[in-house]
Amino acid sequence: MSSKSEGKMAGQYFDAAIDLLRRVRDEESGNVAEAGTLLADAVETGGRLFAFGAGHSSLAAQDVVYRAGGLAVVNLLAVPGVVGIDVMPATLGSALERVDGLAGAVLDSSPARPGDVLVIISLSGRNSLPVEMAMNARALGLKVIGVTSVAYASETRSRHVSGTFLKDHCDVVVDSKISVGDAELTLDGVDAPFGPASSVVTNALMQAMVASAVERLAARGIQPPLLRSGNVDGGHDWNGRVLQEYGDRIFYRH
């Protein structure tokens, strides 16, 4: 490859990611706003917020937990072995997503209660874990927001015994618009597609939902429980006050 053509694929990846971001901005604005309203309602009424994702989908869940500019009351609902790729072998996490009953055990031992909101992130929405997580959460009285690619429901088969997908068990569904396979690029001489964009888009959707919730809370005259960066002057003191005030709704610290 000549030096003149080098870097072409990097530019194409950015273009693909930007196009997807524009698409979800334009086509999912109503669902993002509805999800933001659910988050705001829970904050206003004393509820707690939880986020769950398996594998790389957990990255978007972690991105809204205990971070600068984020809502302090968002908690990670962690399932051992499926958060990120923190297990050996890495394929174990994928296997655990297909285990029946795991979601129920996790929810039953969690602090989640009726009136709370759970955001479930699953690109395919086809595995047992996210499907059962949504079903069990709603049975417990939680509101469920699903962030998923709806295309998988028409182009793949569910791996849950019910034959359903995550999207079928949510109060609000936010469609990431990611194509089945999560690879935006192809290149002559390369046998497999590459350039996954789901993390870029899903992280942006999560932050957009939080931004929508903050907007709604402010419109109601409620000061959102936001955290500041610990790397700016006064950030630690600010966060200490927020964490103390909302301590009964925060489960990521002792």
Side-chain angles (χ1 to χ4, degrees), residues 62 97 114 129 135 144 199-201 213 249:
Q62 295 177 64
E97 287 189 68
L129 186 55
M135 294 173 70
V144 175
S199 294
V200 173
V201 175
R249 299 155 72 177

Side-chain angles (χ1 to χ4, degrees), residues 4-253:
K4 184 176 181 179
S5 61
E6 288 177 357
K8 177 181 178 182
M9 299 310 297
Q12 288 188 14
Y13 178 81
F14 282 118
D15 289 342
I18 290 168
D19 287 345
L20 280 165
L21 288 170
R22 285 176 173 154
R23 187 179 174 196
V24 296
R25 178 198 63 188
D26 296 341
E27 298 179 15
E28 293 299 302
S29 59
N31 293 326
V32 169
E34 191 174 351
T37 297
L38 284 183
L39 297 178
D41 290 346
V43 173
E44 181 179 9
T45 58
R48 292 82 59 81
L49 310 179
F50 296 88
F52 165 78
H56 286 91
S57 291
S58 72
L59 299 176
Q62 295 177 64
D63 195 51
V64 292
V65 176
Y66 186 58
R67 68 160 304 146
L71 292 168
V73 294
V74 181
N75 302 275
L76 183 67
L77 186 64
V79 178
V82 305
V83 178
I85 50 173
D86 61 339
V87 294
M88 290 292 289
T91 52
L92 175 60
S94 297
L96 289 173
E97 287 189 68
R98 305 179 190 183
V99 174
D100 294 334
L102 182 57
V106 169
L107 275 172
D108 288 345
S109 60
S110 78
R113 65 189 186 192
D116 292 345
V117 175
L118 172 60
V119 184
I120 301 176
I121 305 152
S122 174
L123 176 59
S124 72
R126 68 187 298 221
N127 289 310
S128 292
L129 186 55
V131 173
E132 288 189 356
M133 189 72 76
M135 294 173 70
N136 280 272
R138 294 183 86 186
L140 290 172
L142 278 71
K143 296 291 186 180
V144 175
I145 299 168
V147 183
T148 186
S149 171
V150 173
Y152 277 83
S154 59
E155 298 181 38
T156 69
R157 290 184 178 181
S158 170
R159 289 179 174 141
H160 188 255
V161 65
S162 68
T164 60
F165 288 76
L166 169 61
K167 74 174 186 65
D168 300 315
H169 306 284
C170 300
D171 296 281
V172 179
V173 175
V174 180
D175 186 0
S176 64
K177 312 292 182 181
I178 300 295
S179 300
V180 173
D182 193 18
E184 296 297 319
L185 304 177
T186 58
L187 184 65
D188 290 343
V190 177
D191 292 339
F194 56 100
S198 59
S199 294
V200 173
V201 175
T202 306
N203 278 32
L205 284 170
M206 294 296 290
Q207 295 298 343
M209 287 159 47
V210 170
S212 180
V214 169
E215 180 181 29
R216 275 150 181 73
L217 288 167
R220 300 172 188 177
I222 298 169
Q223 190 63 231
L226 293 168
L227 296 171
R228 291 181 179 268
S229 171
N231 296 313
V232 299
D233 292 343
H236 283 298
D237 291 338
W238 172 282
N239 291 342
R241 291 191 296 269
V242 173
L243 294 175
Q244 182 176 13
E245 181 177 354
Y246 292 90
D248 62 334
R249 299 155 72 177
I250 296 171
F251 306 103
Y252 48 77
R253 64 178 199 144

